[in-house]
């Protein structure tokens, strides 16, 4: 199967010597949502600009639908660019044009005739939930509505791929949720492949099939979202997914927990395919051990459970020991033991 977007050992060095992208290979299957996360300066925006041909790689190749875009001249690149839509953190709408005018713009640029362009623009505005708003100006809209216009404009020419550069970073949590839901529909209902970059794991958790983590221009880890969240291998990834995993309490929190809870503190990871809390109540009953839930939580990533819980166990020392030994979890940790 040909990937919708593929990068093969791509590097981008700017004059002055900054290697913004440094040997990145990744493959985005058609019809999927691929997320790239990384801290500021990791090279995420540069990566997207390489994909839509706004930057030329210093080395390596960028393929769209199997076609190497660096081998194409500007003339042959132009129709290919129409296959790619893009949305931005600051929306980048034309302030002097109406909502309809913004969505019409790429269609007119592509040479679509007036009537067909208008029909397409209105249909697209309806898809993003802005039917009837065509005559308004961007400044008369909320942030969430502006991003919907941005999405409608990006989709007007029916691209196969949508690139999103921090598309929800300027929005409040509720509006973020609405825009993410819309992007999910864009992927599922229109079959658009999405490549997005973000520093918000919430975006990855709710929307992406696969994720790559970038640091200093390189991909340090990538994989299926749940696997990466449940078992991060790189320290940067672990830091990104920490809050989503309700991970074991850090040292200061542990100290506060210890002050409140004199019993044995045990943190249990909860993930798909590990029995976690299964059998715990029987075990506690069998040994006459009591417990209090003192920290943690279990959430959902891609429809699968993920989290951790920290329990205080109270009872005779030998009984508590027997419970800890009997927990059928890969490495029940005495909180703070690692
Ligand atoms: N046109 C340019 N000329 C020179 N250096 C650049 C240029 N564009 C980006 N850089 C540098 O390349 C590195 C990566 O920048 P990039 O914008 O891709 O990062 P980013 O991951 O998108 O960061 P942010 O999260 O802050 O948007 C940075 O060190 C940046 O200063
Ligand atoms: Mg950026």
């Amino acid at each position: 199967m040909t990937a919708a977007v593929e990068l093969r050992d791509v590097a981008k060095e700017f004059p002055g010597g900054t290697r913004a992208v440094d040997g990145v290979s990744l493959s985005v299957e058609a019809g999927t949502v691929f997320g790239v996360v990384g801290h500021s300066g990791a090279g995420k925006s540069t990566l997207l600009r390489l994909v839509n041909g706004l930057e030329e790689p210093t080395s390596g190749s960028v393929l769209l639908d199997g076609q190497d875009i660096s081998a194409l001249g500007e003339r042959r690149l132009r129709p290919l660019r129409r296959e790619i839509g893009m949305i931005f953190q600051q929306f980048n709408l034309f302030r002097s044009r109406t909502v309809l005018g913004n969505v019409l713009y790429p269609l007119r640029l592509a040479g679509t005739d007036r009537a067909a362009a208008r029909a397409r623009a209105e249909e697209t505005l309806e898809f993003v939930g802005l039917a009837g708003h065509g005559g308004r100006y961007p400044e008369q809209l909320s942030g969430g509505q502006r991003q919907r216009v941005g999405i409608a404009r990006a989709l007007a020419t029916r691209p196969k791929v949508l690139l999103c550069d921090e598309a929800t970073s300027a929005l409040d949590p509720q509006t973020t949720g609405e825009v993410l839901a819309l992007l999910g529909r864009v992927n599922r209902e229109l079959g658009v492949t999405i490549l997005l970059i973000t520093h918000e794991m919430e975006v990855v958790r709710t929307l992406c099939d696969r994720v790559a983590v970038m640091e200093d221009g390189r991909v340090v880890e990538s994989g299926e979202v749940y696997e990466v969240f449940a078992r991060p291998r790189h320290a940067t990834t672990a830091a990104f997914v920490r809050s989503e995993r309700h991970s074991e309490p850090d040292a200061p929190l542990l100290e506060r927990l210890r002050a409140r809870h004199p019993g044995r503190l045990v943190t249990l990871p909860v993930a798909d395919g590990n029995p976690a809390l299964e059998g715990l109540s029987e075990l506690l009953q069998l040994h006459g051990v009591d417990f209090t839930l003192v920290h943690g939580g279990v959430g959902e990533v891609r429809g699968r459970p993920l989290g951790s819980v920290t329990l205080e166990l109270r009872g005779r020392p030998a009984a508590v020991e027997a419970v800890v030994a009997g927990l059928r979890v890969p490495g029940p940790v005495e909180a703070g033991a690692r």
Side-chain angles (χ1 to χ4, degrees), residues 14 18 20 39-46 166:
F14 287 111
T18 308
H39 294 296
S40 187
K44 307 183 297 295
S45 294
T46 305
E166 299 281 3

Side-chain angles (χ1 to χ4, degrees), residues 120-159:
R120 170 64 68 77
E122 276 171 354
E123 177 194 333
T124 313
L125 279 172
E126 191 174 341
F127 181 82
V128 303
L130 287 178
H133 288 70
R136 297 169 78 184
Y137 284 86
E139 64 194 21
Q140 300 172 304
L141 303 176
S142 70
Q145 289 173 325
R146 284 181 209 183
Q147 193 57 294
R148 285 169 188 274
V149 178
I151 292 169
R153 187 180 60 181
L155 294 178
T157 57
R158 295 292 179 267

Side-chain angles (χ1 to χ4, degrees), residues 76-144:
R76 288 173 61 209
L77 187 58
R78 209 168 298 140
L80 219 59
R81 267 210 198 108
R82 226 168 277 149
E83 301 286 327
I84 301 183
M86 184 152 176
I87 57 173
F88 306 87
Q89 178 171 1
Q90 298 302 336
F91 323 127
N92 297 15
L93 301 177
F94 303 113
R95 289 164 55 193
S96 61
R97 290 174 198 259
T98 61
V99 165
L100 185 65
N102 268 275
V103 182
L104 279 172
Y105 183 80
L107 290 163
R108 302 313 309 267
L109 210 61
T112 313
D113 78 65
R114 197 172 284 273
R118 173 138 194 155
R120 170 64 68 77
E122 276 171 354
E123 177 194 333
T124 313
L125 279 172
E126 191 174 341
F127 181 82
V128 303
L130 287 178
H133 288 70
R136 297 169 78 184
Y137 284 86
E139 64 194 21
Q140 300 172 304
L141 303 176
S142 70

Side-chain angles (χ1 to χ4, degrees), residues 12 14 45-57 62 69 74 77 81 84 86 88 92 163 165:
K12 175 67 189 179
F14 287 111
S45 294
T46 305
L47 186 86
L48 281 199
R49 293 168 59 81
L50 286 160
V51 172
N52 69 7
L54 286 174
E55 302 280 4
E56 234 181 280
V62 177
I69 61 169
E74 182 59 31
L77 187 58
R81 267 210 198 108
I84 301 183
M86 184 152 176
F88 306 87
N92 297 15
L163 306 178
D165 191 340

